[in-house]
C-alpha cells in the first residue's frame, strides 16, 4: 500500500506539473534550468532554478528557496515556481539530501539539512539575479519543517511559508506518549522506497516502531533537535515573517502543534487551517490549479519580500475554513478561536476491557480526512451499538441550535488501571437522531509506570478542529483502547476504569464559536 501510494503521488505530481507548466512557460517565457548544487560537505543536491523572463544581472529579484517534501522528486514545485517567476521571483527548488538523485543520507531535518538550506541560498545569490536582502523559504511537509528550522539559523531568510509541516516533531507523531503507527510507517516506508535512510534514522525508526522504552529519552532528544519550537528564541530574534498552513485532519502533523507554535511567535505571523489530511490542502496548487493555500503564500511573499501593499499585514492573522460549506472565518489570535466553551460532565463510571477494537476509530491515514475534505464524510460509528464492555460512552443532551465547534476540546478524567502500562483513545462524535456518530476529533493517551489499582488524573487535548454540529444532534465522548492509527500498550486482559470522583469530577470541555 505504501509503495503504491508513493508512486501514485509522485506520478501525479510529475504529470500534473508538466501539464501546468506548458501554458505558463509559453505566456511568460520564464527560464527553467536543472542544476547541481553543492550542499553541506559537498553533497550534491539536485535542483531546478526558475527565473523571471528577461532577468539578467542588471536587476535583483526576490528569491524563494523550496526544499522538497519527504519522498517527492524535485519537480514537485515547478508549477508554483513558474507562477512565482511570472511575478518577478527567482525560485530555487532542490531535492532534500538522501532522496531520489540528491546525494547523502536522509537526516530528517537534522543539522546537515539546515546547513544545506543555507548552501542553496549561497548558490542562488552567487549564480542568479537574487537579491540578498529579499530571501524567502517555503515548502510542503518536510520542506516546511526544514524552512522553519532554517529560519532559526540563517538570518538572511526574511519570510517563510510552512505548509502542512511540523514545529514540534514529538507532538506530531508521539502525542500523548503514543506512537502514531500509520504515520510513522508511511514515512518510514516512503523513505526506504525513494531514499537512503541514515543509520541514525534507521535506529530511531526501529526503536519507535518496536516500542523500545529504554530508548525513549534518546528518541525524544532526537525529535527535539528537529523541532522549530525548540528554536523559537532564535526564530523570533531573526524576525522572519512566518506563515503557517495546515489541514484540520492532518494524520501526520496534527494541527495542535502548529497552533501552539504560532502563539509563541513574536514577529509577523499568520495561521491558516483548512479541511483535509496531510498536504491535501496544497495538492491542487502543486498541479498548477487554483488553490487558496498557495494564493495566501504568494500574497505573504509579495508583501514581505516585494513590499506590495496588499493588506495581508492588516488582516486578522488567524484564518479558518470549517469542515463544511461555511465560509472562511478570521480571528485576531488563536486564543480567540476557542474562548467560549461548553462543559459536558462525564458523571457515570465506565469499565473497559482492553485489547479489543470497539469500532470507534480515527480512520485511515491520508484517506479518511481526504474524504471528509471533499465529501464531508468523516469516519463514523453507531454510538448505541458500540459494545460497552470495550468502549466507554457519555452523551450530551440534544441541542436545539447548531454547535459550532472551533479549536481544541479538552478531556479531564480519572483512570484506574489493572496494569502499570496502558493506552486509550478519546473520540468526540456528532451524533444524529439515528445514533450514527460522525467523528469530530480524537487523540491517544499512553501511560507507563502506574500502580495497578491506583487511580490517577488525566488531562488530554484532542486534535484541534472546526466542525458544525447540526441542530437536533448531540455530542458524545467515547473512549476505547485500540485504534489502527496508533500503537497501543495494553497488556493482555488489562482493564481500565474511567470515573468521576466528587472532589475531581470528569468532563470534556468543548470549544464553541461565539455567535
Amino acid at each position: 500500500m505504501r509503495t503504491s501510494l508513493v508512486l501514485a503521488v509522485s506520478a501525479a505530481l510529475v504529470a500534473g506539473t508538466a501539464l501546468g507548466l506548458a501554458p505558463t512557460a509559453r505566456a511568460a517565457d520564464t527560464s527553467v534550468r536543472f542544476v547541481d548544487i553543492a550542499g553541506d560537505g559537498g553533497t550534491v543536491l539536485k535542483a531546478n532554478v526558475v527565473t523571471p523572463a528577461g532577468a539578467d544581472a542588471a536587476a535583483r529579484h526576490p528569491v524563494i528557496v523550496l526544499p522538497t517534501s519527504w519522498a517527492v522528486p524535485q519537480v514537485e514545485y515547478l508549477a508554483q515556481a513558474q507562477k512565482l517567476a511570472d511575478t518577478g521571483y527567482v525560485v530555487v527548488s532542490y531535492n532534500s539530501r538522501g532522496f531520489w538523485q540528491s546525494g547523502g543520507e536522509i537526516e530528517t531535518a537534522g543539522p546537515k539539512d539546515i546547513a544545506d538550506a543555507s548552501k542553496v541560498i549561497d548558490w542562488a545569490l552567487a549564480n542568479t539575479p537574487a537579491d540578498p536582502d529579499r530571501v524567502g523559504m517555503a515548502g510542503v511537509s518536510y520542506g516546511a519543517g526544514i524552512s522553519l528550522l532554517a529560519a532559526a539559523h540563517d538570518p538572511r531568510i526574511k519570510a517563510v511559508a510552512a505548509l502542512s509541516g511540523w514545529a514540534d516533531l514529538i507532538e506530531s507523531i508521539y502525542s500523548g506518549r503514543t506512537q502514531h503507527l500509520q504515520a510513522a510507517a508511511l514515512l518510514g516506508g516512503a523513505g526506504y522506497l525513494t531514499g537512503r535512510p541514515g543509520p541514525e534514522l534507521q535506529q530511531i525508526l526501529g526503536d519507535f516502531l518496536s516500542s523500545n522504552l529504554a530508548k525513549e529519552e534518546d528518541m525524544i532528544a532526537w525529535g527535539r533537535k528537529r523541532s522549530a519550537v525548540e528554536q523559537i528564541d532564535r526564530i523570533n530574534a531573526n524576525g522572519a515573517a512566518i506563515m503557517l498552513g495546515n489541514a484540520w485532519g492532518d494524520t501526520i502533523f496534527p494541527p495542535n502543534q502548529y497552533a501552539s507554535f504560532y502563539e509563541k511567535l513574536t514577529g509577523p505571523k499568520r495561521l491558516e487551517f483548512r479541511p483535509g489530511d496531510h498536504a491535501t490542502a496544497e495538492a491542487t496548487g502543486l498541479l498548477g490549479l487554483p488553490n487558496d493555500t498557495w494564493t495566501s503564500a504568494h500574497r505573504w511573499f509579495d508583501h514581505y519580500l516585494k513590499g506590495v501593499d496588499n493588506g495581508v499585514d492588516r488582516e486578522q492573522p488567524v484564518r479558518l475554513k470549517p469542515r463544511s460549506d461555511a465560509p472562511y472565518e478570521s480571528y485576531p489570535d488563536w486564543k480567540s478561536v476557542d474562548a467560549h466553551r461548553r462543559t459536558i460532565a462525564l458523571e457515570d463510571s465506565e469499565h473497559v476491557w482492553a485489547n479489543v477494537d470497539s469500532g470507534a476509530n480515527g480512520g485511515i491515514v491520508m484517506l479518511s480526512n481526504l474524504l471528509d475534505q471533499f465529501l464531508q464524510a468523516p469516519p463514523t460509528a453507531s454510538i448505541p451499538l458500540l459494545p460497552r464492555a470495550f468502549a466507554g460512552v457519555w452523551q450530551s443532551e440534544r441541542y436545539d441550535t447548531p454547535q459550532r465547534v472551533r479549536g481544541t476540546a479538552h478531556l479531564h478524567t480519572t483512570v484506574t488501571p489493572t496494569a502499570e502500562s496502558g493506552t486509550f483513545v478519546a473520540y468526540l462524535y456528532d451524533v444524529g437522531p439515528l445514533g450514527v456518530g460522525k467523528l469530530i476529533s480524537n487523540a491517544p493517551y499512553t501511560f507507563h509506570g502506574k500502580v495497578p489499582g491506583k487511580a490517577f488524573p488525566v488531562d488530554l487535548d484532542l486534535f484541534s478542529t472546526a466542525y458544525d454540529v447540526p441542530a437536533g444532534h448531540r455530542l458524545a465522548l467515547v473512549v476505547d483502547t485500540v485504534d489502527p492509527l496508533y500503537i497501543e500498550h495494553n497488556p493482555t486482559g488489562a482493564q481500565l476504569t474511567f470515573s468521576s470522583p466528587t472532589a475531581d469530577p470528569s468532563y470534556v470541555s468543548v470549544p464553541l464559536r461565539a455567535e
Side-chain angles (χ1 to χ4, degrees), residues 52 63 76 94 96 107 120 184 220 222 225 227 255 259 274 309 333 406 411 415 423 476 487:
V63 58
E76 176 183 14
Y94 68 95
S96 305
E107 298 284 332
V120 173
I220 290 174
W222 179 87
K225 185 186 295 185
S227 297
R274 297 177 174 85
D309 185 13
D333 50 39
R406 301 288 186 273
L411 169 65
V415 178
T423 298
I487 291 178

Side-chain angles (χ1 to χ4, degrees), residues 116-319:
D116 284 346
S118 290
K119 289 290 188 181
V120 173
I121 294 172
D122 293 342
W123 185 92
L125 297 179
N127 295 277
T128 74
D131 187 339
D133 295 323
R134 296 186 290 169
V135 177
M137 282 196 72
V140 175
S141 186
Y142 193 43
I146 291 174
S147 295
L148 287 175
L149 287 161
H153 292 271
D154 196 326
R156 294 176 296 180
I157 299 170
K158 305 303 182 187
V160 172
L163 312 176
S164 287
W166 79 91
D168 189 328
L169 196 56
I170 302 303
E171 281 300 307
S172 293
I173 61 173
Y174 195 50
S175 68
R177 208 179 176 185
T178 308
Q179 297 99 320
H180 293 212
L181 172 61
Q182 290 186 17
L186 178 62
L187 292 173
Y192 276 100
L193 177 65
T194 63
R196 298 166 299 283
E200 186 179 30
L201 175 58
Q202 294 182 45
Q203 182 66 50
I204 289 291
L205 191 61
D207 290 338
F208 186 83
L209 292 175
S210 65
S211 302
N212 187 352
L213 285 177
K215 296 290 186 179
E216 183 181 35
E217 289 304 316
D218 292 341
M219 289 186 283
I220 290 174
W222 179 87
R224 284 176 175 164
K225 185 186 295 185
R226 290 157 171 81
S227 297
V229 70
E230 299 292 329
Q231 303 287 327
I232 190 66
D233 290 342
R234 297 183 67 165
I235 292 173
N236 286 334
N238 287 341
I242 307 290
M243 172 186 159
L244 305 171
N246 206 353
W248 292 119
D250 195 319
T251 45
I252 296 180
F253 303 130
N256 297 45
Q257 47 92 31
Y258 247 17
S260 177
F261 176 70
Y262 171 84
E263 288 291 271
K264 295 179 175 67
L265 292 169
T266 58
K269 58 184 179 178
R270 187 176 181 91
L271 178 67
E272 299 188 352
F273 286 140
R274 297 177 174 85
D277 206 311
H278 183 64
T280 64
E282 300 85 27
T284 55
L286 293 175
L287 302 179
L289 301 173
N291 180 274
D292 288 353
T293 304
W294 283 104
T295 297
S296 289
H298 285 235
R299 294 181 67 229
W300 192 252
F301 286 128
D302 284 349
H303 180 75
Y304 287 103
L305 295 183
K306 294 170 69 175
V308 175
D309 185 13
N310 56 17
V312 73
D313 57 322
R314 297 187 296 274
E315 297 169 357
Q316 293 198 82
V318 176
R319 191 166 182 246

Side-chain angles (χ1 to χ4, degrees), residues 289-482:
L289 301 173
N291 180 274
D292 288 353
T293 304
W294 283 104
T295 297
S296 289
H298 285 235
R299 294 181 67 229
W300 192 252
F301 286 128
D302 284 349
H303 180 75
Y304 287 103
L305 295 183
K306 294 170 69 175
V308 175
D309 185 13
N310 56 17
V312 73
D313 57 322
R314 297 187 296 274
E315 297 169 357
Q316 293 198 82
V318 176
R319 191 166 182 246
L320 314 179
K321 176 68 174 71
R323 293 161 49 194
S324 65
D325 295 328
Y328 280 94
E329 300 169 1
S330 296
Y331 300 84
D333 50 39
W334 178 250
K335 295 188 295 292
S336 299
V337 175
D338 59 4
H340 302 268
R341 289 184 168 269
R342 178 185 293 275
T343 298
I344 301 171
L346 310 179
E347 297 174 342
D348 298 330
S349 292
E350 295 282 353
H351 187 78
V352 175
W353 288 83
N355 306 115
V356 176
D357 190 342
S358 71
N361 67 70
I364 300 173
V365 66
M366 295 296 298
L367 176 60
S368 297
N369 291 311
L370 185 66
L371 294 174
D372 186 41
Q373 177 182 356
F374 291 105
L375 302 176
Q376 295 177 26
T380 61
S382 175
I383 304 304
L385 296 181
L386 290 175
R388 295 309 197 262
F390 309 117
V393 179
W394 298 264
Q395 296 193 70
S396 72
E397 73 277 12
R398 187 173 286 108
Y399 299 114
D400 295 331
T401 59
Q403 305 294 295
R404 307 190 191 282
V405 180
R406 301 288 186 273
T408 309
H410 178 81
L411 169 65
H412 175 76
T413 189
T414 295
V415 178
T416 305
T418 60
E420 66 174 14
S421 294
T423 298
F424 70 86
V425 183
Y427 309 89
L428 185 65
Y429 282 100
D430 158 26
V431 184
L434 298 180
V436 175
K438 294 183 177 181
L439 186 64
I440 298 174
S441 184
N442 77 99
Y445 184 91
T446 293
F447 58 87
H448 298 287
K450 298 299 183 181
V451 177
K454 184 176 181 179
F456 63 92
V458 169
D459 285 283
L460 177 63
D461 283 339
L462 277 62
F463 300 136
S464 304
T465 193
Y467 182 98
D468 294 337
V469 179
H473 288 211
R474 65 180 76 217
L475 292 169
L477 191 283
V478 176
V479 294
D480 74 359
T481 62
V482 176

